[in-house]
Amino acid sequence: TATSGEKIAADVSAGPWTLTLPPNPIAGDNITLSVINGDATQNNVTVSGNGNTIQGDATLIYDVAFATVWLVFNSTEWRIA
């Protein structure tokens, strides 16, 4: 489970990867996630909202090769910033 402010480097070279967001976020909490090794178009990263939504969905499927996503909690849900 990630903590607010954490910068996470995902290695998907061995297979799909899952990240769980903090369970009780407050407005302004943020997480940065980067795929640093492997092909996320083949081995997706699943981001779980851990009881909160991510832009309206319970999970986010991250399938962009070597991209970085910044997630910010806006007091209602996680948003891609």
Side-chain angles (χ1 to χ4, degrees):
T1 300
T3 57
S4 180
E6 195 168 6
K7 294 178 177 146
I8 299 164
D11 180 348
V12 298
S13 61
W17 205 78
T18 299
L19 172 68
T20 302
L21 295 175
N24 298 307
I26 59 171
D29 279 359
N30 63 86
I31 305 291
T32 304
L33 172 63
S34 298
V35 173
I36 61 160
N37 195 22
D39 185 356
T41 64
Q42 297 294 317
N43 294 321
N44 301 151
V45 175
T46 299
V47 181
S48 167
N50 200 4
N52 295 291
T53 58
I54 305 166
Q55 299 214 180
D57 295 319
T59 60
L60 168 71
I61 304 299
Y62 185 96
D63 62 356
V64 179
F66 299 108
T68 296
V69 64
W70 185 40
L71 298 165
V72 179
F73 193 73
N74 70 0
S75 78
T76 304
E77 69 175 354
W78 290 96
R79 303 291 291 190
I80 298 171

